[in-house]
Amino acid sequence: MDPYQPGDRGFFLAFAGENISGWMAAILGVSLISVVLSAVHHAEVVAHKVGEPYGTLILALAITVIEVSLIVSMMLSKQGAGSTTLARDTVFAAIMLINTGIIGICLLWGSYLHKEQIYIKQGVSAALVTLTAISVLTLVLPNFTTSAAGPVYSSSQLIFVAIISLVLYGGFVSVQTVRHRDYFLPEENEGDYHAAPPTKLTTAISLITLVLSWQS
Amino acid sequence: MLLSKKLSPTIEGIVMDLGAPKSLVGVIIAAVILMPEGLAAIRAARKNRLQTSLNLALGSALASIGLTIPAVALVSIVAGFDVTLGIDTKSTLLLLLSLFTISISFNAGRTNIQQGWCCW
């Protein structure tokens, strides 16, 4: 359509895309971020109640539900060029942000304050081997398959890879929660370990709010 | 979900206006979603509870890829459109480098500041 002039009000309105104004978009953007934040906060409350290692599992599942619903709704609402790569871009970005950004800052800051930090090797190793297998299988291998040209899988390959991903992730979750729970339990530090777990009422409210925030 | 549907053209519009690559949309989504997890992980690392940090960080990475890919695959087959999964060569190299450095770093059983610099 008409060219947007950076710097004036038209540019700001241009952010609005198709049918909403700039202010509306800004308000929606802020509310989207706050919904995400509050969803994760409520997930944290529920996680705190159930304790490790189920707590981190619930948190991970909560953000994944948000992520998947965002991606799927964006893919369905705009089936044009570009949205076919959205899932890949998001997943790749998430992995790189975690692998280099979050873990890097954790190690750097943690080791700056505490010199050496310990963790349970077996648990981290199980997570890393699963992460390596799934990420190479889903993000790298499609470039080299010949059934469908380009960086895509054919339908049958896609189903196969989807099942493999689920099996590997399911395997990791069962290791984390049942077979080798102790690999993922943090060492009890003196004193500052946890605040008192929330009451049943708080947990229930959080759970309901969590489900509600997924709907909005 | 309704909010995100309203907003998705907006985010795409901003990214397009800035002349940034389309993949930035994915980066923005990932960053917004991971922000609370990341903050919790960093908080735990500062309190010398690295195990919790790693559970949070690696757990979200695994859930993110292990569940998103099957879900998107299902949607693409049911709704009948292609989904591009392969990343380009440079991204592949970066992905493998990050996995490699992390694997080496966590091989020792305890971490010190050098691994922090390298991973970061």
Side-chain angles (χ1 to χ4, degrees):
Chain A
M1 285 224 273
D2 51 346
Y4 302 127
Q5 296 295 315
D8 67 16
R9 198 154 168 272
F11 178 69
F12 185 60
L13 285 174
F15 289 175
E18 281 144 20
N19 51 5
I20 44 176
S21 73
W23 285 112
M24 193 61 194
I27 293 168
L28 281 179
V30 172
S31 36
L32 179 66
I33 291 178
S34 42
V35 167
V36 170
L37 286 176
S38 66
V40 174
H41 166 77
H42 291 302
E44 260 174 354
V45 173
V46 177
H48 192 172
K49 181 72 182 176
V50 296
E52 292 286 333
Y54 305 102
T56 45
L57 186 64
I58 289 180
L59 276 176
L61 289 179
I63 63 157
T64 305
V65 168
I66 299 172
E67 183 182 339
V68 168
S69 52
L70 268 171
I71 293 173
V72 168
S73 68
M74 280 175 86
M75 283 177 87
L76 289 177
S77 68
K78 222 184 163 192
Q79 292 183 23
S83 58
T84 57
T85 58
L86 183 64
R88 172 199 75 177
D89 294 337
T90 309
V91 167
F92 177 62
I95 290 184
M96 292 306 285
L97 282 173
I98 291 171
N99 274 4
T100 58
I102 295 178
I103 292 185
I105 293 174
C106 284
L107 291 187
L108 195 58
W109 207 337
S111 52
Y112 174 73
L113 292 175
H114 306 283
K115 292 218 164 159
E116 268 188 346
Q117 291 190 297
I118 50 163
Y119 51 87
I120 303 168
K121 241 166 114 175
Q122 289 93 327
V124 176
S125 171
L128 280 177
V129 73
T130 319
L131 184 62
T132 309
I134 299 185
S135 55
V136 172
L137 210 59
T138 52
L139 296 176
V140 181
L141 191 61
N143 292 323
F144 301 101
T145 50
T146 49
S147 301
V152 289
Y153 276 130
S154 68
S155 291
S156 51
Q157 287 171 335
L158 195 58
I159 295 172
F160 178 71
V161 166
I163 293 172
I164 293 280
S165 303
L166 278 181
V167 167
L168 287 177
Y169 182 65
F172 171 73
V173 169
S174 81
V175 164
Q176 189 186 21
T177 52
V178 186
R179 283 183 75 90
H180 299 287
R181 244 191 94 181
D182 49 321
Y183 290 172
F184 297 88
L185 295 178
E187 296 230 339
E188 296 281 339
N189 277 15
E190 65 290 340
D192 66 345
Y193 180 55
H194 256 322
T199 60
K200 278 198 177 115
L201 180 67
T202 324
T203 314
I205 293 172
S206 283
L207 196 60
I208 295 165
T209 327
L210 184 59
V211 175
L212 279 179
S213 62
W214 283 341
Q215 308 294 319
S216 65
Chain B
M1 272 166 81
L2 289 174
L3 276 173
S4 62
K5 212 176 251 175
K6 270 274 185 214
L7 263 184
S8 60
T10 314
I11 300 176
E12 277 169 29
I14 297 173
V15 170
M16 289 309 207
D17 282 354
L18 292 176
K22 188 106 187 174
S23 52
L24 191 61
V25 179
V27 179
I28 293 172
I29 297 181
V32 171
I33 291 173
L34 289 175
M35 186 171 47
E37 289 285 84
L39 292 178
I42 292 167
R43 217 163 39 218
R46 277 169 48 205
K47 288 185 189 159
N48 207 7
R49 297 193 341 244
L50 190 61
Q51 182 70 45
T52 309
S53 299
L54 295 175
N55 285 352
L56 281 167
L58 293 173
S60 355
L62 275 169
S64 170
I65 192 166
L67 297 175
T68 306
I69 296 292
V72 170
L74 186 72
V75 171
S76 81
I77 288 169
V78 171
F81 55 86
D82 281 342
V83 52
T84 311
L85 286 181
I87 50 178
D88 61 25
T89 317
K90 191 176 65 185
S91 308
T92 307
L93 190 66
L94 288 174
L95 173 71
L96 294 179
L97 174 65
S98 73
L99 289 170
F100 189 57
T101 45
I102 284 203
S103 304
I104 298 174
S105 301
F106 289 125
N107 208 12
R110 39 185 73 221
T111 56
N112 58 48
I113 201 157
Q114 183 60 26
Q115 284 139 351
W117 286 118
C118 291
C119 276
W120 198 28

